[in-house]
């Protein structure tokens, strides 16, 4: 990795490009009526994925950037799930009860904050409202610290086949600095229990750039985590945005690593995972060579959505719950973020859409370009432009951002192809931003490039 590139771009902030356009472009001009019209035509788009957001945790991790609230009681969770059940009915009715579901993902927050019987009830509601494909995949995010045997059994009985466990770091010094104490033993017990009920795909989330984190502590975390042999790892850089997430103000900024140190940590994690037998996937994922994600990366069919890199090939995503984002062929839809407002809308029989974005044909082209860059580190602009009915010139003429990246050796132009340099792949989001017509126009703070 070039120290010059890290010095120049390391502190630059770019979207993660799990969607295009990104959420800051969403507008309140898109509301329940537009969503209802999109749902009415959803059957024509083929099978869909469903995302359910559970915005509750038992304690706040100070690094967290998610929409979540802390509750020690079960009452708020129970009330929320009752409302979500009503939302499922509203969406199903608007879609004409003909939706075919291929993937389900429970995110949060902490989805497993639910009681086992509640999780089973939500799954039963989904199955009654939608038509599940025989091989539908069901995934859930898990906090190993609060995962009990009855919940593990409920996950297995409900058909969950994929889970993602938050690990972040096994260094107790780092854990204390982010208010998340989690032992290796807790994680090991959780993995063993999940394997025992037939869950075949396990992902670990790791984070670099945390307070008091060092290269050595990153390496030790990977060595411990790899002993449990999860199928995948997702490795994210901590995004410190205390202006948006007030609990991040509890983190001592003086203890955060700088851009060069963050890059060293990221590369150390990557090197250790590759050494442990994992294939490097895209910008920040790793998978065992025979895992579906690694296979998709090799054959060029990997996709990118709000959960990161994925094998999910559905073009439609139904988002359920407060703050949830969905995607229709026509564009994006986001529910109200405040819990009270979300619950009020649903209780009134109204789809809780707060804002969204209707895609233009140019947006769809740029989305394809950015997705291929993020997944493959290269893109054939000529082919995609032709398929979309556009001339390639408007993408590269007077594209000063792209020209600067080419001049710095971050990317190379080969005919109609853009290729991100091997030693500058950490800058792929900067290359993607060169094709983002809205980048820098919304005043939003994004995560650092390194």
């Amino acid at each position: 990795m070039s120290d010059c590139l890290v010095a120049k771009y390391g502190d630059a902030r770019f979207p993660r490009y799990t969607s295009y356009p990104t959420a800051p472009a969403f507008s309140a001009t898109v509301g329940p009526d537009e969503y209802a019209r999109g749902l009415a035509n959803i059957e024509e788009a083929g099978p869909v994925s469903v995302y359910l957001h559970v915005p509750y945790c038992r304690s706040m991790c100070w690094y967290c950037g998610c929409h979540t609230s802390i509750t020690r009681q079960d009452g708020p969770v129970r009330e929320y799930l009752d409302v979500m059940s009503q939302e499922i009915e509203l969406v199903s009715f608007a879609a004409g009860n003909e939706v075919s579901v291929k993937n389900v993902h429970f995110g949060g927050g902490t989805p497993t904050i639910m009681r086992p019987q509640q999780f089973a009830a939500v799954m039963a509601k989904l199955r009654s409202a939608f038509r599940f494909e025989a091989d539908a995949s069901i995934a859930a995010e898990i906090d190993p610290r609060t995962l009990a045997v009855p919940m593990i059994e409920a996950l297995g009985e409900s058909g969950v086949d994929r889970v993602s466990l938050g690990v972040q770091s096994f260094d107790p010094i780092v854990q204390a600095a982010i208010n998340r104490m989690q032992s290796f033993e807790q994680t090991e017990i959780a993995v063993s229990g999940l394997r025992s009920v037939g869950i075949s795909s396990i992902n670990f989330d790791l984070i670099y750039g945390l307070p008091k984190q060092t290269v050595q502590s990153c390496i030790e975390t990977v060595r411990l985590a790899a002993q449990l042999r999860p199928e995948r790892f997702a490795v994210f850089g901590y995004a410190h945005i205390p202006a948006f997430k007030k609990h991040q103000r509890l983190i001592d900024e003086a203890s955060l690593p700088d851009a060069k140190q963050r890059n060293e940590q990221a590369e150390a994690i990557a090197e250790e995972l590759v050494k442990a037998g994992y294939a490097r996937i895209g910008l920040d994922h790793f998978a065992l060579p025979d895992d579906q994600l690694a296979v998709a990366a090799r054959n060029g069919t990997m996709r990118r959505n709000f959960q990161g890199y994925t094998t999910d090939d559905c073009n439609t995503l139904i988002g359920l719950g407060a703050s949830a984002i969905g995607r229709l062929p026509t564009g994006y839809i986001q529910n109200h973020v405040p819990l009270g407002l979300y619950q009020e809308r649903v209780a009134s029989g109204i789809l809780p859409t707060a804002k969204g974005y209707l895609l233009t044909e140019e947006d769809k082209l740029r989305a394809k370009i950015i997705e291929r860059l993020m997944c493959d580190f290269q893109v054939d602009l000529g082919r995609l432009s032709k398929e979309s009915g556009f001339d390639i010139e408007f993408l590269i003429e007077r594209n000063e951002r792209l020209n600067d990246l080419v001049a710095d050796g971050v990317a190379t132009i080969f005919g109609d192809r853009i290729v991100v340099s091997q030693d500058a792949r950490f800058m792929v989001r900067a290359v993607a931003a060169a094709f983002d017509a809205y980048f820098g126009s919304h005043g939003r703070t994004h995560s650092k490039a390194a």
Side-chain angles (χ1 to χ4, degrees), residues 140-332:
E141 297 172 10
I142 289 173
D143 183 344
R145 301 172 300 170
T146 56
L147 185 65
V149 171
M151 190 62 193
I152 293 175
E153 293 172 345
L155 295 173
E157 292 167 359
S158 296
V160 173
D161 60 336
R162 296 181 296 117
V163 295
S164 182
L165 277 63
V167 171
Q168 325 315 349
S169 172
F170 281 129
D171 183 347
I173 295 175
V174 175
Q175 291 179 351
I178 59 175
N179 195 42
R180 185 189 175 95
M181 302 305 298
Q182 176 180 326
S183 69
F184 173 79
E185 289 71 26
Q186 283 176 307
T187 310
E188 183 178 32
I189 290 170
V191 169
S192 177
L194 294 164
R195 295 289 194 200
S196 73
V197 298
I199 291 174
S200 58
S201 181
I202 294 179
N203 171 79
F204 281 1
D205 284 343
L206 302 182
I207 297 182
Y208 63 88
L210 292 169
K212 300 187 178 181
Q213 201 166 25
T214 65
V215 167
Q216 190 56 41
S217 74
C218 288
I219 291 173
E220 290 172 358
T221 289
V222 172
R223 288 176 178 172
L224 283 171
Q227 292 178 23
L228 302 179
R229 221 57 188 163
E231 280 68 26
R232 301 176 188 176
F233 282 89
V235 182
F236 304 116
Y238 167 58
H240 190 62
I241 45 174
F244 292 96
K245 297 295 178 181
K246 293 182 179 179
H247 54 265
Q248 290 187 353
R249 297 174 186 175
L250 297 169
I251 287 178
D252 177 12
E253 292 189 356
S255 66
L256 292 172
D258 60 24
K260 184 173 185 297
Q261 292 168 328
R262 284 168 61 93
N263 179 63
E264 290 171 348
Q265 291 174 10
E267 288 304 310
I269 290 172
E271 184 178 338
E272 202 64 31
L273 284 171
V274 170
K275 195 184 304 181
Y278 290 85
R280 193 168 187 171
I281 308 294
L283 177 65
D284 49 21
H285 283 45
F286 299 79
L288 293 174
D290 59 350
D291 181 82
Q292 290 181 349
L293 190 66
V295 174
R298 288 197 297 271
N299 63 26
T301 60
M302 186 167 66
R303 302 293 301 276
R304 188 163 174 83
N305 63 19
F306 295 109
Q307 277 70 59
Y309 291 110
T310 179
T311 58
D312 181 355
D313 59 358
C314 294
N315 291 316
T316 301
L317 171 68
I318 293 176
L320 299 167
S323 80
I325 300 176
R327 187 190 191 282
L328 300 176
T330 52
Y332 295 98

